[in-house]
Amino acid sequence: GLGFNIVGGTDQQYISNDSSIYVSRIKKDGAAYLDGRLQEGDKILSVNGRDLKDLRHKDAVELFRNAGCDVSLKIQRRLQPQNGPVGHRGDGESGGLPLAAILVPGLALAAAAVWILLRYRQRM
């Protein structure tokens, strides 16, 4: 396969009032993952020059299955949301900063402040 899953279609809209086809998941070590250009959330506009507009989900899946070895995709990159949840990545990774990246520096600063305060109080 091509190494990714899709969602959407006229019969299974992923986004309300939008029947487009979107990449829902990139399979680790699959063709799309190894190529590196396709991203989860990308809208797929065409496959090998065939427009995906107004297709049912199963027809889009069939189009991908019959795409052949050399596949050309025309995509529209998704816009990154300013606030709110990040799309499901499927491999256990979140899209934001890890909690430790925020907590560790914060705890280190707090510990340093307490140490300085205690040292200052001892000298008084």
Side-chain angles (χ1 to χ4, degrees):
L2 301 174
F4 62 92
N5 294 355
I6 60 170
V7 292
T10 57
D11 56 335
Q12 297 180 19
Q13 292 183 349
Y14 176 63
I15 298 173
S16 57
N17 299 321
D18 182 358
S19 60
S20 301
I21 303 296
Y22 291 87
V23 176
S24 63
R25 180 173 171 251
I26 305 282
K27 296 177 183 176
K28 190 165 182 148
D29 297 326
Y33 178 85
L34 295 172
D35 178 77
R37 290 180 282 180
L38 196 62
Q39 296 179 9
E40 292 174 0
D42 286 348
K43 181 192 287 191
I44 304 176
L45 304 174
S46 68
V47 178
N48 293 338
R50 171 92 195 272
D51 192 4
L52 295 184
K53 196 171 190 172
D54 299 324
L55 283 182
R56 293 180 301 172
H57 180 80
K58 73 176 192 171
D59 295 331
V61 169
E62 199 59 33
L63 195 61
F64 283 104
R65 284 193 177 136
N66 296 321
C69 294
D70 292 325
V71 179
S72 174
L73 300 177
K74 182 176 180 182
I75 61 124
Q76 180 179 345
R77 185 75 63 212
R78 71 178 164 156
L79 295 174
Q80 295 293 331
Q82 296 300 316
N83 293 313
V86 176
H88 176 68
R89 299 176 80 79
D91 54 7
E93 295 179 23
S94 68
L97 286 175
L99 187 58
I102 298 168
L103 289 180
V104 171
L107 290 173
L109 285 172
V114 168
W115 182 78
I116 290 170
L117 180 64
L118 291 174
R119 296 281 302 201
Y120 177 75
R121 290 183 81 191
Q122 285 178 352
R123 290 189 175 159
M124 290 176 82

